[in-house]
Amino acid sequence: MLSTKHFVCCGMDVHKKFVVATIATTDYRGVTTYEKKRFSTFNSDLRSLKKWLLDHKYTEVCMESTGKYWIPIHNILEDSCHVVVANPKYVRAIKGQKTDDKDSAWIWKISNCHC
C-alpha cells in the first residue's frame, strides 16, 4: 500500500493543446478528496492554472514529460512550487483504463507517495 507524503499535491497530464490537473487534498483522517480541471496551453490559461493551484495552497506538482509540451508549464510554475517532471515510462497507467482524468490522478498518486 502506498503512503501519503504530501497532504496537498497536484498531478498533471500534459498534452499539446491542453493540461488536465488533479489536485488531491488529504485530511488528518487520511481521506483524500480530488478536484480536476482542464486548462489550455495558452499562456493566459497557464497563468490561470498557476492561480488555481495557489488558491488551493498546493506544495508539489508532478507532470509527465511528454515530448516538449511540459516546458512552458514548468517555466510558469517553477518560481512558486516544486515541480517534478517524470519519465512517462515510470508513470504510465494500466492499459485499457486510460483517460486524461485517470492519468492525472495516477500521476498525482505516484508523485505523492514517491517524491
Side-chain angles (χ1 to χ4, degrees), residues 19-57:
V19 177
V20 177
T22 299
I23 286 183
T25 306
T26 306
D27 65 13
Y28 67 94
R29 294 172 292 166
V31 177
T32 304
T33 56
Y34 301 93
E35 185 176 345
K36 294 177 185 168
K37 201 162 180 183
R38 184 174 167 156
F39 298 89
S40 76
T41 53
F42 292 112
N43 283 339
S44 61
D45 224 17
L46 292 179
R47 284 191 286 278
S48 297
L49 166 64
K50 181 178 179 177
K51 183 185 178 322
W52 182 67
L53 292 171
L54 289 171
D55 289 346
H56 285 82
K57 297 178 177 65

Side-chain angles (χ1 to χ4, degrees), residues 7-88:
F7 292 100
V8 180
C9 272
C10 180
M12 292 186 192
D13 189 24
V14 180
H15 297 273
K16 182 177 183 179
K17 296 185 179 190
F18 65 91
V19 177
V20 177
T22 299
I23 286 183
T25 306
T26 306
D27 65 13
Y28 67 94
R29 294 172 292 166
V31 177
T32 304
T33 56
Y34 301 93
E35 185 176 345
K36 294 177 185 168
K37 201 162 180 183
R38 184 174 167 156
F39 298 89
S40 76
T41 53
F42 292 112
N43 283 339
S44 61
D45 224 17
L46 292 179
R47 284 191 286 278
S48 297
L49 166 64
K50 181 178 179 177
K51 183 185 178 322
W52 182 67
L53 292 171
L54 289 171
D55 289 346
H56 285 82
K57 297 178 177 65
Y58 70 95
T59 57
E60 300 288 326
V61 172
C62 184
M63 70 178 103
E64 205 174 354
S65 64
T66 307
K68 59 184 178 183
Y69 306 128
W70 62 271
I71 296 171
I73 299 160
H74 184 275
N75 289 342
I76 285 181
L77 297 178
E78 71 180 336
D79 67 338
S80 59
C81 68
H82 179 241
V83 180
V84 175
V85 182
N87 186 326

Side-chain angles (χ1 to χ4, degrees), residues 87-104:
N87 186 326
K89 176 181 177 180
Y90 301 111
V91 295
R92 187 171 296 140
I94 301 168
K95 283 187 175 187
Q97 300 179 12
K98 190 164 171 44
T99 67
D100 297 328
D101 289 346
K102 286 181 182 178
D103 279 354
S104 64

